[in-house]
Amino acid sequence: MRNRPIALLASIVATVVALNLYFASSSWETPSQQTRRGFTAHRYTVSDGEDYGYVLFEPHQRLPDEQLPLLLFLNGVGENGTDGVFQISNNFGIAIWETKRNFPMMCLAPQCRDNWGPHSPDTQRALALLDWIIDEHNVDADRIYLTGVSSGGQGTWDIAAAYPDRFAAIVPIAATCSMDQETVVDAFVRRRLPIWSFYNDGDEAELVEGNRTLRERLLAAGLSPLMTEYHQQGHNAWSAGYRTAALYDWLSHQSRSNTRRMYSGSGFRWLLRDASGLDDWEQQGDGNWTLTDGQLRCEIDELAAEDGRLVLKTELGDEFEFHFDFRAAGGADIVLSLDSIDAPGDDLIVAIDRPEHGTGGVVHEPSGQLIGSTSPLGQRAFTADRWNDVRLSLRKRQLQISVNGVPYYDAQDPRFAGRRRIGLQASPDDANASAWRYVRLWTRNTSTTRDTSVATRGVDR
């Protein structure tokens, strides 16, 4: 009974979307004829002369002659058909419709008739339609994104692996790839394709295990994909995934040329993959740092002990990215240090706090001055007793931090300049309850060894 209002609301929204499309497209106008913004339905004639229905979304705030990115959506099998509209009635379309007045990019939703296999007729029609839309609507071909749910999410993995040069980023939801994972990883590494996937840990075991294993293979190969694993039962990860505002901000910053420029010739190095990785770090303070089953912990027995620190010996330079997963149990927050090499003692402290612990931020250690505080939305994305994907990057004195894909801190300051080393810090109050994993580093000088020999095993979430 408690789910009836939600189901009723979804039904009403789907009906409104369908009615909007009906009145907007009753004459099946072509894109060159159609000037209405928002959702419109169209027919496209494929090479064999058959009509093919699809839905196009064009932002209401688009400026004349503005080149916009485009998100290509692949529906799930439950929305297969030939009517040309039903493909967006149950998930993606509803989420976009809720924010249609301010949605920042174009969306293209062809309808699958059979399957989204990498070389299927449905896929070939969709790619041909995409090329036509790019030309007809002045779309930025450098910023084409691919997403899909369930069977469409599987198609997202597989099609992107088959055509990695076509897309600037992909967002598969509630799916894993059907192709051999080694083939998929090879394709994505060649293109250094940005990925953000969503799924539920209570979905089918094969799907969950496939996502976890694929992530480890991608990490081992030098990529750093975002993967959001919701702690909930069932298959529906799209309702939350497509309502993640940070997703579209993240997408809007992805372009093929920018990815090629930023990561050319180097990838992420997976630090602390096994116990030997501790040799690259210097242990300071009273903490005893250990690495077991891929999880890093700091053990501090006495409450009066000084904070434990683990400092990476590698010089980061003034342009780097440092990513890791952090599990905060009890009252734990995240504290990082950026230790100056050029001016010893002129260090920065980065505090990533949960909302109940006040405002986090970056502190200039010698002066104690707060350089900048953190985003409330970013703080809310930081959860206790779950793994959090934390990312810190420093480029051209611009320090950016995100938590689970949500921007947490973004500021530019002269004090961010110079060569630095990074340190992890744990306090006696929370060290024994906290854990790090998948610690990885990218710098201009990073060299990555190709290795996808990751055992298929469960990953503790």
Side-chain angles (χ1 to χ4, degrees), residues 345-349 362-371 413 415:
D346 192 24
D347 303 333
L348 303 170
I349 301 298
V362 178
V363 174
H364 184 238
E365 191 172 32
S367 65
Q369 181 183 359
L370 178 68
I371 296 178
D413 193 280
R415 286 166 290 191

Side-chain angles (χ1 to χ4, degrees), residues 120-277:
S120 71
D122 284 304
T123 296
Q124 297 309 308
R125 283 193 295 265
L127 294 178
L129 173 62
L130 173 63
D131 289 336
W132 187 66
I133 291 292
I134 290 173
D135 292 337
E136 287 287 319
H137 283 264
N138 192 29
V139 172
D140 186 354
D142 198 39
R143 294 187 291 163
I144 304 298
Y145 315 123
L146 180 62
T147 186
V149 299
S150 194
S151 62
Q154 179 176 288
T156 298
W157 286 114
D158 295 346
I159 293 170
Y163 307 96
D165 294 323
R166 293 191 64 109
F167 304 104
I170 65 170
V171 184
I173 297 184
T176 188
C177 61
S178 67
M179 298 171 62
D180 175 70
Q181 285 196 356
E182 183 74 14
T183 301
V184 172
V185 171
D186 283 339
F188 292 170
V189 168
R190 175 169 63 84
R191 186 62 191 83
R192 301 207 179 280
L193 188 67
I195 302 164
W196 191 347
S197 67
F198 298 81
Y199 62 95
N200 296 335
D201 64 5
D203 207 331
E204 294 181 358
E206 183 179 0
L207 185 153
V208 176
E209 184 64 22
N211 274 274
R212 292 173 176 176
T213 305
L214 184 55
R215 184 191 186 197
E216 289 196 347
R217 289 186 179 277
L218 290 167
L219 291 176
L223 298 185
S224 188
L226 266 166
M227 289 197 174
T228 297
E229 182 177 293
Y230 293 118
H231 185 46
Q232 60 187 32
Q233 296 297 310
H235 194 45
N236 182 0
W238 48 83
S239 290
Y242 284 136
R243 288 177 173 85
T244 301
L247 168 64
Y248 306 106
D249 178 69
W250 176 82
L251 279 174
S252 66
H253 287 86
Q254 310 302 322
S255 68
R256 290 182 300 174
S257 58
N258 190 47
T259 299
R260 188 179 301 115
R261 181 173 60 254
M262 288 175 62
Y263 300 111
S264 59
S266 63
F268 283 84
R269 182 159 57 99
W270 187 350
L271 309 173
L272 296 169
R273 188 172 176 183
D274 53 46
S276 63

Side-chain angles (χ1 to χ4, degrees), residues 76-117:
V77 68
E79 290 73 53
N80 280 6
T82 59
D83 62 273
V85 175
F86 189 61
Q87 67 269 27
I88 66 162
S89 65
N90 191 38
N91 36 62
F92 176 77
I94 296 173
I96 304 308
W97 183 85
E98 291 172 345
T99 59
K100 61 184 181 296
R101 290 294 174 185
N102 299 301
F103 197 75
M105 62 189 67
M106 295 186 66
C107 301
L108 174 62
Q111 188 174 27
C112 183
R113 297 181 178 183
D114 185 20
N115 70 82
W116 293 119

Side-chain angles (χ1 to χ4, degrees), residues 1 40 110 133 163 191 213 237 250 270 288 301 380 389 391 422 445 458:
M1 292 297 291
T40 52
I133 291 292
Y163 307 96
R191 186 62 191 83
T213 305
W250 176 82
W270 187 350
N288 176 34
D301 295 331
R380 289 174 187 156
D389 184 304
R391 304 182 173 217
I422 197 161
N445 300 319

